[in-house]
């Protein structure tokens, strides 16, 4: 199979992204998009949900291939994902992979409003992430590039090679449409787009695990090359439509394989089909800082970090729930029961899942961890309420100790597993603090515990402005892990993108930008709103119709 030949564009992007100007652009964006106790970051003054941008991109004129839906739950359980048997690349297995990662999980209905939930969570259920499949030699799928349309679970063929290509390969490209988030969140939208890429990466990795597949990030494809591969640089195809920003290219391999050559449509003759639809014909606002920061932080060719052997013992996961069942029932809690007390072992199990290991899902993230959870513990059996830290590397622990409040106690937690790097910083009721810091949201106090994900910020950006994206993507991956691991324990989670940045830092004693809070999360027992109906995800397929919906998405990650 032909290997991808990188262009000189990669070097040019790397030079631009490495210079101090690009880093300054990114850091200035981060500062200006902080929420403060006395004011929020710039955003729209009012929202009209009837004018929400279409959450589904389509390409008119691209031939469509309907994908089969799962008829039974997966034989592999969620606990058994790391040991799943490899399945060959076919139309059926690709369909399962997409359905359990980026497909619809359900429809929700309240009155005249109807909205879709997907397997991958998204800020405000706005879903800026788009996915493309690059397939060669896959049984039942013609060679070419496809856009995945989750609304109807189908592939739209965007590119056809003029001639067949030897060998086989399967790749997933991810892009972002920033306007979907900016419509609601204004200038802070770029943050949420990157969190959603991390969520999608986690969702793809778990879905790949149901088929015994390995997911590998292709760091040797820079932004310019990825735009070409996915056809995002074809301005005529996006005339009168919102453009897409290239994010990541992922290669799918058997679990025992670590690399292969990638076929490049840009290096081969072929034909393009399809015109992108307009998502919002009447945008009311413009946020130019998003485009400026996107350009400054574009990905160069990335070199994975040399990862040391796992310092932690292998996880012992139990449970008999089918992986597909658990993946599709994941929801973002809108309210928590403020009386639920979480079992101690469940708490430690969740934290253990956040430690980086060489197996699923961390094998899809080939970089040294730079995100460290700070936990606001409210109701965990046998554990003092208070503030805790979970440094995920030794270097991270040193940075936390140097940077956080000097009066924090850093006490060991007596009942914690020996390998779990959990430290008690402060004992006391922190519910009101957690609620206030998370934009006064009750879920931060009514949950069993809340998390602030702190990033090694300034030091990471010294290596290049693109690290800003990687930090948020790592935080989003952590969030997706908590979502599914909480579900496996009979609990629920929800991500929080709204928090008062510097108020968080002040409470933690952070006086410089070496650490920054990027994402909050909560875990507890969700209270169900019985007024809202839950409907199957693809009933329109059975009726042979295309769904017309009101796209109201709610106010948090769903």
């Amino acid at each position: 199979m032909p290997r991808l030949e990188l262009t000189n564009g990669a070097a040019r992007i790397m030079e631009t992204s490495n210079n101090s100007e690009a880093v300054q652009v990114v850091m200035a964006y981060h500062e200006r998009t902080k929420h403060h106790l006395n004011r929020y970051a710039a955003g729209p003054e009012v929202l009209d949900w009837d004018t929400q941008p279409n959450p589904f991109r389509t390409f008119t004129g691209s031939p469509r291939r309907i994908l089969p839906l799962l008829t039974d739950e997966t034989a592999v359980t969620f606990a058994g994902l790391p040991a799943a048997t490899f399945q060959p690349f076919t139309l059926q297995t690709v369909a399962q992979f997409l359905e359990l990662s980026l497909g619809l999980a359900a429809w929700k209905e309240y009155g005249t409003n109807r909205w879709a939930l997907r397997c991958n969570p998204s800020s405000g259920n706005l879903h800026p992430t788009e996915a493309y499949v690059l397939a060669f030699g896959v049984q039942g799928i013609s060679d070419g590039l496809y856009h995945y349309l989750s609304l109807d679970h189908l592939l739209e063929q965007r590119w056809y090679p003029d001639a067949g290509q030897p060998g086989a390969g399967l790749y997933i490209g991810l892009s972002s449409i920033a306007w979907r988030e900016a419509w609601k969140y204004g200038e802070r939208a770029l943050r949420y787009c990157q969190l959603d890429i991390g969520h999608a990466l986690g969702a793809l990795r778990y879905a790949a695990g149901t088929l015994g597949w390995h997911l590998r990030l292709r760091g040797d494809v820079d932004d310019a090359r990825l735009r070409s591969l996915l056809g995002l640089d074809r301005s005529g195809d996006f005339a009168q439509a919102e453009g897409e920003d290239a994010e990541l290219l992922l290669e799918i391999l058997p679990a025992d394989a670590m690399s292969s050559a990638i076929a490049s449509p840009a290096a081969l003759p072929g034909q393009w089909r399809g015109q992108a639809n307009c998502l919002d014909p009447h945008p009311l606002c413009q946020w130019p800082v998003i485009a400026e920061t996107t350009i400054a932080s574009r990905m160069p060719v990335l070199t994975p970090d040399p990862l040391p052997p796992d310092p932690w013992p292998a996880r012992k996961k139990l449970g008999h729930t089918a992986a597909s069942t658990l993946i599709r029932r994941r929801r973002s809690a809108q309210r928590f029961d403020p009386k639920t007390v979480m079992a101690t072992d469940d708490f430690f199990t969740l934290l253990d899942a956040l430690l980086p290991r060489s197996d699923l899902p961390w094998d899809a993230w080939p970089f040294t961890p730079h995100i460290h959870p700070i936990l606001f513990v409210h109701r965990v059996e046998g554990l003092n309420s208070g503030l805790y830290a979970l440094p995920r590397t030794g270097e991270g622990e040193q940075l936390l100790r140097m940077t956080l409040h000097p009066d924090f106690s850093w006490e060991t937690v007596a009942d914690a597993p020996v390998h779990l790097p959990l430290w008690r910083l402060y004992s006391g009721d922190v519910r009101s603090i957690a609620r206030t810091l998370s934009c006064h949201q009750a879920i931060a106090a009514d949950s069993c515990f809340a998390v602030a994900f702190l990033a090694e910020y300034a030091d990471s950006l010294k290596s290049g402005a693109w690290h800003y994206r990687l930090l948020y993507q790592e935080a989003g991956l952590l969030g997706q892990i908590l979502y599914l691991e909480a579900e496996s324990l009979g609990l629920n989670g929800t991500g929080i993108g709204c928090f008062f940045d510097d108020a968080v830092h002040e409470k933690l004693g952070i006086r410089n930008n070496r650490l920054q809070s990027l994402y909050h999360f909560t875990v507890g027992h969700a209270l169900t709103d019985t007024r809202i109906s839950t409907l199957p995800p693809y009933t329109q397929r059975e009726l042979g119709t295309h769904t017309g919906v009101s796209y109201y998405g709610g106010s948090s990650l769903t």
Side-chain angles (χ1 to χ4, degrees):
M1 176 179 291
R3 295 194 66 86
L4 174 67
E5 296 178 3
L6 296 175
T7 67
N8 291 332
R12 290 196 296 272
I13 291 176
M14 185 172 291
E15 289 174 1
T16 302
S17 299
N18 262 326
N19 66 31
S20 60
E21 182 180 351
V23 173
Q24 289 171 5
V25 168
V26 167
M27 297 184 81
Y29 168 82
H30 189 70
E31 288 299 316
R32 73 180 281 163
T33 57
K34 287 181 175 180
H35 288 323
H36 299 273
L37 286 166
N38 62 340
R39 63 175 175 85
Y40 288 87
E45 295 182 2
V46 295
L47 284 179
D48 178 2
W49 283 102
D50 290 335
T51 64
Q52 177 188 344
N54 188 338
F56 299 104
R57 165 130 286 168
T58 62
F59 286 91
T60 303
S62 291
R64 292 181 167 186
R65 178 63 185 270
I66 296 288
L67 296 174
L69 292 164
L70 276 172
T71 56
D72 298 302
E73 300 298 343
T74 56
V76 62
T77 65
F78 183 72
L81 284 177
T85 302
F86 171 74
Q87 303 296 316
F89 297 157
T90 66
L91 175 68
Q92 186 71 48
T93 56
V94 170
Q96 175 177 319
F97 171 59
L98 293 171
E99 183 180 354
L100 295 181
S101 55
L102 307 174
L104 304 188
W107 286 94
K108 290 288 187 177
E109 191 171 76
Y110 177 68
T112 59
N113 290 317
R114 197 164 183 253
W115 62 98
L117 303 183
R118 304 191 200 183
C119 292
N120 58 311
S122 170
S123 301
N125 203 28
L126 300 175
H127 289 285
T129 305
E130 294 293 330
Y132 294 83
V133 177
L134 183 60
F136 294 97
V138 176
Q139 181 184 343
I141 300 179
S142 300
D143 289 356
L145 177 77
Y146 298 81
H147 170 255
Y148 175 59
L149 177 57
S150 63
L151 176 62
D152 294 306
H153 190 49
L154 56 80
L155 293 175
E156 301 177 302
Q157 189 161 11
R158 289 278 290 129
W159 173 83
Y160 307 73
D162 283 345
Q165 179 168 255
L170 184 60
Y171 313 91
I172 302 293
L174 297 179
S175 66
S176 293
I177 303 176
W179 178 244
R180 285 206 184 114
E181 293 291 331
W183 168 82
K184 179 180 180 181
Y185 296 115
E187 291 187 347
R188 206 168 165 97
L190 180 60
R191 296 179 177 219
Y192 301 153
C193 288
Q194 297 309 309
L195 284 175
D196 278 5
I197 291 296
H199 293 141
L201 175 61
L204 288 162
R205 182 61 190 99
Y206 283 110
T210 68
L211 296 157
W213 294 354
H214 177 82
L215 203 65
R216 175 176 175 246
L217 175 65
R218 289 300 299 248
D220 56 348
V221 179
D222 72 338
D223 180 272
R225 191 58 163 167
L226 184 54
R227 286 174 58 81
S228 177
L229 284 169
L230 304 184
L232 305 182
D233 59 352
R234 296 178 57 80
S235 58
D237 294 352
F238 291 87
Q240 310 304 317
E242 299 80 357
E244 300 179 24
D245 298 313
E247 298 289 1
L248 300 177
L249 183 67
L250 306 165
E251 181 177 18
I252 302 179
L253 300 160
D256 58 353
M258 293 303 295
S259 65
S260 73
I262 179 173
S264 170
L268 297 170
Q271 302 176 24
W272 289 86
R273 298 275 186 88
Q275 189 77 25
N277 64 329
C278 177
L279 307 178
D280 186 353
H282 305 293
L284 299 178
C285 304
Q286 297 293 328
W287 310 107
V289 71
I290 295 175
E292 295 169 6
T293 310
T294 297
I295 293 171
S297 62
R298 281 179 173 168
M299 291 288 191
V301 171
L302 298 174
T303 302
D305 297 335
L307 299 179
D310 290 352
W312 331 107
R315 294 189 65 211
K316 297 179 181 179
K317 296 181 63 176
L318 302 174
H320 303 287
T321 303
S324 55
T325 299
L326 189 140
I327 286 170
R328 288 191 285 203
R329 79 181 186 204
R330 181 216 62 80
R331 303 285 186 271
S332 287
Q334 302 300 307
R335 293 188 303 146
F336 286 114
D337 177 7
K339 297 181 180 179
T340 296
V341 177
M342 185 177 182
T344 313
D345 287 346
D346 288 347
F347 180 68
F348 294 148
T349 296
L350 282 182
L351 299 190
D352 195 24
L354 300 180
L355 299 182
R357 290 179 168 88
S358 58
D359 60 2
L360 181 154
W362 289 112
D363 53 358
W365 188 254
F367 306 109
T368 299
H370 292 297
I371 304 291
H372 308 287
I374 299 295
L375 303 121
F376 298 79
V377 175
H378 307 317
R379 285 173 302 281
V380 175
E381 183 182 11
L383 207 62
N384 291 341
S385 299
L387 202 62
Y388 293 74
L390 185 75
R392 297 171 59 239
T393 64
E395 295 78 7
E397 180 179 329
Q398 293 177 15
L399 180 58
L400 291 177
R401 286 179 178 270
M402 287 190 302
T403 309
L404 298 185
H405 202 291
D407 292 339
F408 284 157
S409 59
W410 289 93
E411 300 172 326
T412 58
V413 179
D415 295 332
V418 175
H419 72 274
L420 194 67
L422 181 64
W423 300 90
R424 183 184 297 111
L425 305 179
Y426 166 82
S427 292
D429 189 342
V430 292
R431 288 175 296 176
S432 63
I433 295 174
R435 177 173 182 158
T436 298
L437 295 179
S438 294
C439 294
H440 309 291
Q441 297 180 76
I443 52 176
D446 293 343
S447 54
C448 294
F449 71 90
V451 186
F453 288 119
L454 294 186
E456 299 175 18
Y457 178 73
D459 292 345
S460 296
L461 290 182
K462 289 178 182 177
S463 299
W466 66 88
H467 281 274
Y468 190 67
R469 297 193 190 208
L470 294 182
L471 291 173
Y472 271 100
Q473 291 168 16
E474 183 184 345
L477 177 56
L478 284 164
Q480 180 66 355
I481 291 170
L482 282 180
Y483 267 122
L484 294 185
E485 292 286 344
E487 289 287 340
S488 74
L489 297 171
L491 296 166
N492 314 97
T494 195
I496 299 178
C498 184
F499 51 86
F500 299 117
D501 302 59
D502 286 341
V504 174
H505 304 148
E506 181 180 354
K507 282 295 181 184
L508 297 178
I510 298 171
R511 298 181 180 275
N512 55 46
N513 63 0
R514 294 194 69 187
L515 291 173
Q516 293 282 285
S517 183
L518 301 188
Y519 186 28
H520 286 199
F521 203 93
T522 55
V523 173
H525 177 67
L527 294 175
T528 302
D529 189 339
T530 56
R531 300 171 301 171
I532 300 176
S533 302
T534 301
L535 305 171
Y538 289 108
T539 52
Q540 76 273 19
R541 288 272 298 264
E542 299 172 7
L543 299 174
T545 61
H546 185 79
T547 305
V549 301
S550 169
Y551 296 124
Y552 174 76
S555 60
S556 65
L557 282 87
T558 60

